Amino acid sequence: MAELDPYTGPWTRREASHLLRRASFGASLADIDKVVADGRAASLDVIFTPLPAPADPIDPLTGQPYTTGQLDLSRGFQYYNRITKAWWLSLMYGTTRSIHEKLTLFWSNHFATEMTVVQQPQQSLLLLKYLRTNAFGNFKEMARQVTIEPAMLRYLNGNVNTKGSPNENYARELQELFTIGKGKEVAPGDYTTFTEQDVQAAARVLTGWRDSRMGTTVQFVDRQHDTTDKVFSQRYGNTVIKGRTGQTAGNAELTDLINMIFDQPATSKHVLRRLYRWFVYHEITEDVERTIIEPLAEQLRSGGWNIGPVLKTLLSSEHFFSANMMGSQIKSPADFLVGTLKAITTFTPPTDATQKNQFYDALSISMAALQMDLNDPPSVAGWEAYYQQPDYDRIWLTTATLPLRNGATDSILVKSRGLGRPILDTIALTRTFTNPEDPYALVDEMNIRFFAVPFPDATRERLVLEVLLGGSGLAYDWTTEWQAFLSNTSNTQARQRVKLKLDTLYRYMFRMAEFHIG
């Protein structure tokens, strides 16, 4: 059976939750059950259906979008960037059974920029919206367009790249990170996929582009463009890009540059490795390279560089649903925080515009503390968890971030500032369970809602007898207490007894090592 053949094994809550956890940011039990009922093929069709464009983010002080018109610079550019981050988090949380936002996050990490460096909120938002609109689309066209997006021009100094002083920053990252990838160094300045000569030649191709300082438009200034021929190395077959003149020169030479890069098989393989590490697993063995990366790369090239069908093949495959892929990733901060909130179906975020922005802004700050600051990765290479070997996703868990993760899940059990209530009311959520009076069934349902892998029998037993019952009771004692509470829910003492036990159980389970894998 080929690794990329469509999965034909059991279709249970476990497989459905694996799909939703990787394709999105977790799911409610209702979403999981919907995917089980609809089946794998139909569910994947839904998951890979592009979503409509959302309304632009709103400035809570004006009640209007800030995407057009003049910004109030007295508030600082970070004020508007925080609104963008809060807005995007609301989309991540509010999207069900769709890969759209997760894929947009992938592209924002692949074509990485830093809002704090760009310092123009409208340009940063424009790039984010472009990546979202084209998330399923043509990777080749994306690489071309991102090259002349105003935020990227500003971030990697393309806006100061002139014939008299070529700037190589973007030309290098276009090849090393965004398209063909940096192969092994075989000689000084020669990386098997491109050379320093190619960086220099590409920089000359890209001379003359400018962003508008306070706007979202770009222009090509022909007098600042290098009109001479650009000669590339043997890595590109000694290609010569003919120098042009006039207003069409910039677009014409950019098209030639992108065509040259995308003619190389290494380009499709590079982006497939990035997608694999994001959605499946960090380790790419020789076998994975041969059975997964290479055939998908061929599908990408033959399919006109459209990402959606290729990624759907991967996430439909026997390989993706194999047992050793489930629970094989450390959750990113987005998966950890947003996924936890999605599983708490008794919680509803504020709907008032100001309170909503405050809520998601606080969530954004928490995510940044866990080392995933949306649209502000550490560098142009993106977040280290997706490229830094040998640790990869283990980078998300450190002596600094683990206590913060524990603090984040502890905090959802207490009254949240600005909400006036806890995010997680353990009694309310537990009452939605199928059989909460049975302590083992309770732990089993918590497992399927919040965890990627089933508990061993010994762990299950410990959670019931030692954590829920505090080591001083038998399983039926919980049944008796829960039933006594249900018989008179206004009894304060009965409520407090079950709440104390449930709070202890949830807090403990959210601190388990297994809670951090997805």
Side-chain angles (χ1 to χ4, degrees):
M1 182 178 294
E3 291 279 84
L4 286 175
D5 284 349
Y7 173 71
T8 57
W11 191 246
T12 69
R13 282 175 167 178
R14 190 64 65 187
E15 289 77 30
S17 63
H18 172 63
L19 175 60
L20 290 174
R21 191 175 290 111
R22 295 297 180 84
S24 186
F25 301 96
S28 68
L29 189 61
D31 288 325
I32 294 170
D33 286 343
K34 175 66 173 171
V35 168
V36 172
D38 289 350
R40 177 193 59 81
S43 296
L44 279 157
D45 286 344
V46 172
I47 286 168
F48 276 87
T49 299
L51 299 175
D56 284 342
I58 298 296
D59 180 349
L61 293 181
T62 66
Q64 300 296 321
Y66 67 87
T67 49
T68 57
Q70 191 168 355
L71 302 179
D72 183 353
L73 298 181
S74 66
R75 300 177 194 170
F77 67 89
Q78 287 286 39
Y79 169 81
Y80 296 99
N81 287 344
R82 288 175 63 172
I83 295 173
T84 295
K85 296 177 185 187
W87 168 79
W88 194 13
L89 271 171
S90 74
L91 298 179
M92 293 180 189
Y93 173 81
T95 300
T96 59
R97 301 196 309 279
S98 174
I99 199 172
H100 206 143
E101 300 306 335
K102 192 74 166 278
L103 191 50
T104 303
L105 185 59
F106 166 82
W107 288 123
S108 78
N109 181 69
H110 184 80
F111 293 113
T113 60
E114 298 168 66
M115 282 179 158
T116 52
V117 175
V118 175
Q119 295 192 9
Q120 216 291 16
Q122 292 171 327
Q123 292 183 0
S124 291
L125 178 60
L126 183 69
L127 176 57
L128 176 59
K129 289 171 62 178
Y130 173 79
L131 296 176
R132 188 184 185 281
T133 299
N134 295 279
F136 297 86
N138 189 304
F139 173 51
K140 181 177 179 180
E141 179 56 31
M142 288 176 74
R144 186 190 190 287
Q145 179 58 36
V146 165
T147 298
I148 53 175
E149 278 288 312
M152 187 62 79
L153 285 172
R154 182 173 291 212
Y155 179 58
L156 288 179
N157 310 115
N159 60 346
V160 294
N161 184 17
T162 66
K163 64 180 180 181
S165 182
N167 188 294
E168 298 175 3
N169 282 1
Y170 183 79
R172 182 177 305 281
E173 308 307 354
L174 172 65
Q175 295 172 86
E176 180 174 331
L177 298 176
F178 300 162
T179 57
I180 198 168
K182 186 177 181 179
K184 293 180 181 179
E185 187 173 20
V186 295
D190 184 346
Y191 307 106
T192 70
T193 50
F194 67 92
T195 70
E196 287 299 310
Q197 176 186 341
D198 301 318
V199 172
Q200 295 160 9
R204 292 167 52 219
V205 167
L206 298 171
T207 51
W209 291 97
R210 296 290 178 271
D211 71 295
S212 55
R213 182 172 176 271
M214 298 306 298
T216 56
T217 60
V218 297
Q219 61 177 327
F220 177 72
V221 183
D222 60 334
R223 66 178 180 277
Q224 294 293 349
H225 178 64
D226 185 331
T227 60
T228 62
D229 292 350
K230 290 82 180 177
V231 182
F232 290 81
S233 75
Q234 74 277 10
R235 298 298 178 195
Y236 290 112
N238 303 115
T239 294
V240 176
I241 291 181
K242 185 70 177 176
R244 272 86 152 192
T245 60
Q247 280 299 304
T248 62
N251 274 312
E253 291 190 38
L254 172 58
T255 297
D256 286 351
L257 176 64
I258 294 297
N259 285 341
M260 179 190 73
I261 293 172
F262 277 74
D263 281 345
Q264 313 306 311
T267 299
S268 56
K269 294 177 185 178
H270 176 67
V271 73
L272 258 301
R273 293 185 196 108
R274 296 290 296 262
L275 286 163
Y276 184 88
R277 289 194 169 106
W278 186 274
F279 287 100
V280 186
Y281 190 54
H282 69 269
E283 184 180 2
I284 298 177
T285 63
E286 290 183 4
D287 187 58
V288 168
E289 182 75 19
R290 177 178 55 82
T291 63
I292 304 295
I293 303 301
E294 291 180 3
L296 287 177
E298 172 57 33
Q299 182 185 347
L300 182 61
R301 294 191 298 271
S302 63
W305 295 98
N306 287 313
I307 288 291
V310 176
L311 187 55
K312 187 177 181 181
T313 297
L314 177 59
L315 269 59
S316 305
S317 69
E318 291 282 353
H319 179 79
F320 176 74
F321 286 104
S322 61
N324 60 339
M325 289 299 129
M326 295 187 184
S328 63
Q329 287 186 338
I330 301 295
K331 292 178 184 175
S332 74
D335 292 312
F336 178 77
L337 291 174
V338 180
T340 301
L341 291 181
K342 280 192 171 188
I344 302 172
T345 52
T346 51
F347 167 72
T348 303
T351 55
D352 172 79
T354 299
Q355 292 179 349
K356 180 180 178 181
N357 182 73
Q358 289 173 344
F359 173 76
Y360 286 110
D361 180 53
L363 187 62
S364 173
I365 292 170
S366 295
M367 194 178 297
L370 298 180
Q371 306 305 309
M372 190 179 231
D373 193 355
L374 291 179
N375 273 351
D376 269 313
S379 73
V380 67
W383 290 296
E384 292 182 347
Y386 301 107
Y387 70 86
Q388 191 62 63
Q389 57 181 321
D391 289 335
Y392 289 105
D393 52 323
R394 290 188 292 270
I395 289 171
W396 291 129
L397 279 183
T398 68
T399 54
T401 61
L402 181 57
L404 293 174
R405 286 187 176 217
N406 291 338
T409 52
D410 285 354
S411 70
I412 66 177
L413 294 166
V414 299
K415 187 179 292 187
S416 301
R417 185 173 60 186
L419 292 178
R421 67 189 189 282
I423 288 175
L424 173 56
D425 180 335
T426 56
I427 290 179
L429 183 61
T430 302
R431 291 186 71 174
T432 69
F433 286 17
T434 304
N435 191 18
E437 66 270 16
D438 179 340
Y440 293 100
L442 169 62
V443 167
D444 289 343
E445 190 155 337
M446 288 179 68
N447 174 268
I448 200 66
R449 286 176 183 247
F450 292 105
F451 292 80
V453 294
F455 295 141
D457 289 342
T459 299
R460 189 168 171 261
E461 192 78 9
R462 176 167 52 83
L463 288 168
V464 170
L465 298 181
E466 296 180 23
V467 181
L468 180 64
L469 296 171
S472 60
L474 300 174
Y476 66 77
D477 291 332
W478 168 256
T479 304
T480 301
E481 283 190 272
W482 182 256
Q483 290 176 342
F485 160 67
L486 288 184
S487 67
N488 184 7
T489 57
S490 61
N491 185 315
T492 304
Q493 290 182 333
R495 171 178 285 273
Q496 192 58 34
R497 278 195 297 271
V498 297
K499 185 179 189 305
L500 180 61
K501 286 182 168 61
L502 287 173
D503 284 0
T504 300
L505 178 63
Y506 279 87
R507 183 178 291 109
Y508 182 92
M509 291 178 73
F510 289 161
R511 284 172 168 252
M512 292 173 66
E514 296 91 333
F515 187 70
H516 298 278
I517 61 175

